Amino acid sequence: MERTVYLGHRGSAPCYAVAIAAESPLPEGMDACGVRDLYGRIPEDDLAVAALAVRIVDYDRTTQYCGQCGAKMRPLMTERAKFCPACNRTVYPRLSPAVIVLVSDGERVLLARSPRFPPGMYSVIAGFVEPGENLEHAVRREVREEVGVSIQNIRYFGSEPWPFPDSLMIGFTAEYAGGDLVVDTSEIEAAEWFDRETLPPLPSTMSISRALLDRWLDGEGRCLRQ
């Protein structure tokens, strides 16, 4: 075992995450897989624990030493944090907020395609919040930068922890306010307006992006969930 970290209690049972070396043999009948691959194969509560385990193991691995003075860090017993005894610096698990927004124009929805997506797949627009921004500013900026249009009537939709590795996705809906599509090819490779009858392949149902799209379809009494 490379490291063991305490996650917390689930009911009365303590939970731990154990990191093992990549070359370690697995017990008979077991296989390794990514957390995303567990979606639909285990209960959602178990999936949440698995996602937390990956995040906390990564936090433990990357905070062994103080980034300010280089001294060995110590875990705190009172909260999820590490403390540097040399310079008194406290380090918490990093959280990187990102916004994700569904832009609609009447019966149309604006979708974009990342070069990282599977062939043919499109999704809603997303990006990280920059220092000094509030969430609404980040939504407007990301849409303007990636596809060149302006939006209005921004409304909060919901949020989702996304530990790949450390994001919190904050979802919004918005309405098209004007402008022609101008794709920033350094971020995405295509963007198009789609109606309900011509939707391309979409993200999996485990994602907040799909939840945004399903809610948009639900507005007409239709839903994509299988």
Side-chain angles (χ1 to χ4, degrees):
M1 293 186 295
E2 291 188 334
R3 58 176 39 88
T4 300
V5 293
Y6 172 67
L7 299 179
H9 273 68
R10 191 177 184 186
S12 60
C15 295
Y16 294 86
V18 177
I20 61 175
E23 64 275 10
S24 297
L26 297 175
E28 186 176 352
M30 290 189 176
D31 293 312
C33 73
V35 173
R36 296 190 198 190
D37 298 328
L38 294 173
Y39 181 76
R41 299 170 59 185
I42 63 175
E44 288 192 9
D45 288 350
D46 293 341
L47 182 63
V49 173
L52 174 64
V54 170
R55 177 67 193 96
I56 298 305
V57 166
D58 181 71
Y59 162 70
D60 182 66
R61 179 181 58 81
T62 57
T63 54
Q64 293 293 299
Y65 297 93
C66 178
Q68 182 165 276
C69 73
K72 181 74 172 177
M73 300 288 282
R74 297 177 181 173
L76 290 177
M77 297 296 104
T78 55
E79 57 183 336
R80 180 84 68 192
K82 288 190 176 183
F83 174 75
C84 176
C87 69
N88 297 324
R89 185 169 185 254
T90 300
V91 177
Y92 297 89
R94 188 176 70 178
L95 192 61
S96 303
V99 293
I100 185 165
V101 56
L102 181 144
V103 179
S104 61
D105 178 30
E107 298 299 305
R108 305 186 302 167
V109 65
L110 178 58
L111 301 178
R113 172 169 169 76
S114 166
R116 300 184 300 273
F117 287 172
M121 194 185 89
Y122 281 69
S123 185
V124 295
I125 294 168
F128 286 102
V129 180
E130 294 187 353
E133 285 187 319
N134 63 32
L135 298 177
E136 293 80 7
H137 288 161
V139 169
R140 290 189 180 93
R141 175 186 54 77
E142 282 293 334
V143 173
R144 172 68 73 177
E145 287 180 354
E146 293 195 3
V147 295
V149 303
S150 58
I151 56 175
Q152 62 188 358
N153 297 332
I154 299 171
R155 294 188 176 97
Y156 175 73
F157 173 80
S159 62
E160 177 184 45
W162 195 250
F164 305 110
D166 51 37
S167 298
L168 173 66
M169 302 293 290
I170 304 111
F172 295 88
T173 62
E175 296 173 1
Y176 170 72
D180 297 326
L181 287 183
V182 179
V183 175
D184 178 4
T185 54
S186 67
E187 295 283 341
I188 58 177
E189 63 181 26
E192 297 181 41
W193 291 101
F194 295 91
D195 60 32
R196 289 174 170 82
E197 305 306 321
T198 61
L199 286 174
L202 300 176
S204 76
T205 53
M206 73 175 288
S207 63
I208 191 171
S209 54
R210 181 61 175 270
L212 281 159
L213 284 158
D214 283 349
R215 178 67 64 85
W216 179 69
L217 288 173
D218 284 344
E220 294 296 319
R222 302 179 59 186
C223 183
L224 285 175
R225 294 191 185 277
Q226 301 298 320

